[in-house]
Amino acid sequence: MILHDFNLGRLQTMACASVAQHAAPVRSLADLEQALAWASEHDQPVRILGQGSNVLAAEQVDGLTLINELSGLQALAWDEDSVTVAVGSGINWHWWVRFSSAQGWYGLENLALIPGTVGAAPVQNIGAYGVEVESFIEHLEAVSLHSGEMRQFARAECAFSYRDSVFKHAEAGRWFITQVVFRLPRRFRPVLTYGPLQRLVQPTPRQLIEQVCSVRLEKLPQPRAVPNAGSFFTNPMVTSSHAAALQERHPDLPMFRSADGRTKLAAGWLIDQAGWKGWRDPDSGVGTWHQQALVIINPQRRPRSDVLAVAGRIQDDIEQRFGVRLEREPRLFG
Ligand SMILES: Cc1cc2nc3c(=O)[nH]c(=O)nc-3n(C[C@H](O)[C@H](O)[C@H](O)COP(=O)(O)OP(=O)(O)OC[C@H]3O[C@@H](n4cnc5c(N)ncnc54)[C@H](O)[C@@H]3O)c2cc1C
């Protein structure tokens, strides 16, 4: 089913005014095949939308937007230690976290309440509170947007790193991820290294999920009430010599050693220190959230250009003050 002049305003959490030239819901592999055949016949570019929580949509999105609603769940194998489950990529991420943990398949608890679909999780290797999804992905399946061919990507082929994967680089815009195959441990080993989780003592999986949810609800605006796309900038990675120079000038700057020898800086701290926390542009109302400077909000549902204008001002200011260019996390859509 191909829809025309389809309103995307409510299908992305930043709520930018946006209309797709053509759109198609994808509820089965047959839907996907038909939609791709239509796009090829009409020579239209193809884009994929999950639940729109990590995109900034253009006012006019040309070509065909595929709206992922693929469902399905299948346990493929299990032994004493782990279970291997294939999960349809259109399934809601938070639902999957709660469901898997309730079955006794553990590991995803710290990633509770991250908005979006299962299929988008590997695209930016979602992470929160000391856990990244890559640790639990065995492989994924994807359909080529150009040839319709089905391909498996083993975890190593996904080139996961901090908020990153091959689907943002060499394979960007080429594949529709149709299912993600997780391997989850059957023994619960909670990761409690992050501040507000440290106070938990031998939590049950359910208590851990509840704690993660309550920390998130306290800190982050809910997109339905206040449109946003979560963290707008990734934490910048700098060389250790750059980090040492910064620390000399700003002894309180939080920084973390990364496995590759570089240092990760807290982008929220930089924005906060520069005085942007809670700031709003008087004309567009676009600004930063008063409890978390890393989140840009769009309460008046303004077009993407207004959001990018504010983001650009923040990037320029941080670069001038700290010599670090912040990188945008949400992806441009159209
Ligand atoms: C309030 C809030 C809090 C957030 N907190 C976190 C957090 O703690 N950690 C974190 O990592 N992220 C966080 N995010 C970002 C976001 O939730 C994740 O990136 C999520 O995985 C996006 O899922 P989605 O279905 O909404 O993807 P979309 O926004 O619809 O799409 C994102 C990108 O992935 C592509 N894509 C989507 N589905 C597929 C598919 N099936 N195949 C191929 N490409 C696809 C799209 O084309 C687009 O480029 C947060 C966002 C919000 C609004």
Side-chain angles (χ1 to χ4, degrees), residues 56-328:
L56 298 172
E59 282 188 73
Q60 299 291 330
V61 177
D62 65 342
L64 176 65
T65 295
L66 300 177
I67 300 164
N68 184 13
E69 297 175 12
L70 285 178
S71 57
L73 197 86
Q74 195 185 3
L76 300 177
W78 64 67
D79 56 31
E80 257 177 49
D81 301 323
S82 67
V83 54
T84 307
V85 191
V87 185
S89 64
I91 285 182
N92 177 266
W93 175 259
H94 178 63
W95 179 88
W96 163 236
V97 170
R98 291 197 90 105
F99 178 85
S100 54
S101 189
Q103 303 308 305
W105 310 336
Y106 302 119
L108 304 179
E109 292 77 11
N110 294 37
L111 306 180
L113 216 59
I114 295 180
T117 52
V118 165
V123 173
Q124 78 146 359
N125 183 21
I126 58 168
Y129 309 130
V131 172
E132 286 181 321
V133 72
E134 65 166 297
S135 313
F136 302 98
I137 293 179
E138 193 184 79
H139 68 267
L140 55 83
E141 283 185 10
V143 166
S144 164
L145 297 181
H146 304 294
S147 66
E149 149 214 11
M150 174 84 86
R151 177 179 158 184
Q152 234 182 53
F153 286 83
R155 184 194 347 196
E157 292 174 297
C158 296
F160 290 123
S161 63
Y162 167 65
R163 296 293 187 279
D164 211 1
S165 77
V166 72
F167 302 104
K168 283 178 152 189
H169 301 283
E171 304 292 355
R174 300 184 57 190
W175 299 92
F176 189 119
I177 297 169
T178 52
Q179 66 175 16
V180 181
V181 177
F182 295 88
R183 184 153 188 213
L184 300 175
R186 296 178 69 195
R187 185 173 320 154
F188 180 55
R189 286 192 204 89
V191 176
L192 304 174
T193 43
Y194 176 82
L197 304 185
Q198 280 171 359
R199 67 175 86 110
L200 294 174
V201 182
Q202 295 189 337
T204 63
R206 194 171 170 167
Q207 283 167 336
L208 178 52
I209 289 180
E210 297 312 325
Q211 176 71 1
V212 168
C213 291
S214 83
V215 173
R216 294 184 72 94
L217 289 170
E218 230 170 75
K219 275 192 156 183
L220 298 170
Q222 289 312 292
R224 274 201 200 135
V226 185
N228 74 88
S231 300
F232 198 89
F233 301 106
T234 52
N235 289 321
M237 304 287 264
V238 297
T239 60
S240 50
S241 57
H242 190 170
L246 280 168
Q247 194 153 46
E248 207 164 285
R249 273 187 288 143
H250 310 281
D252 298 338
L253 169 53
M255 38 180 80
F256 316 89
R257 251 300 142 96
S258 103
D260 62 6
R262 291 184 302 163
T263 303
K264 196 198 286 182
L265 309 177
W269 189 93
L270 300 173
I271 300 169
D272 196 350
Q273 287 297 303
W276 288 97
K277 193 176 187 175
W279 179 87
R280 297 272 189 98
D281 180 76
D283 295 325
S284 66
V286 175
T288 60
W289 184 237
H290 61 281
Q291 311 232 81
Q292 171 52 278
L294 205 46
V295 175
I296 290 188
I297 56 171
N298 182 21
Q300 295 174 27
R301 299 167 182 267
R302 299 287 287 232
R304 173 171 89 180
S305 51
D306 287 340
V307 175
L308 290 176
V310 166
R313 286 178 65 179
I314 295 175
Q315 284 169 307
D316 290 347
D317 187 42
I318 300 300
E319 189 166 14
Q320 223 170 22
R321 286 172 193 261
F322 301 101
V324 174
R325 184 80 187 166
L326 295 178
E327 279 184 29
R328 183 174 23 81

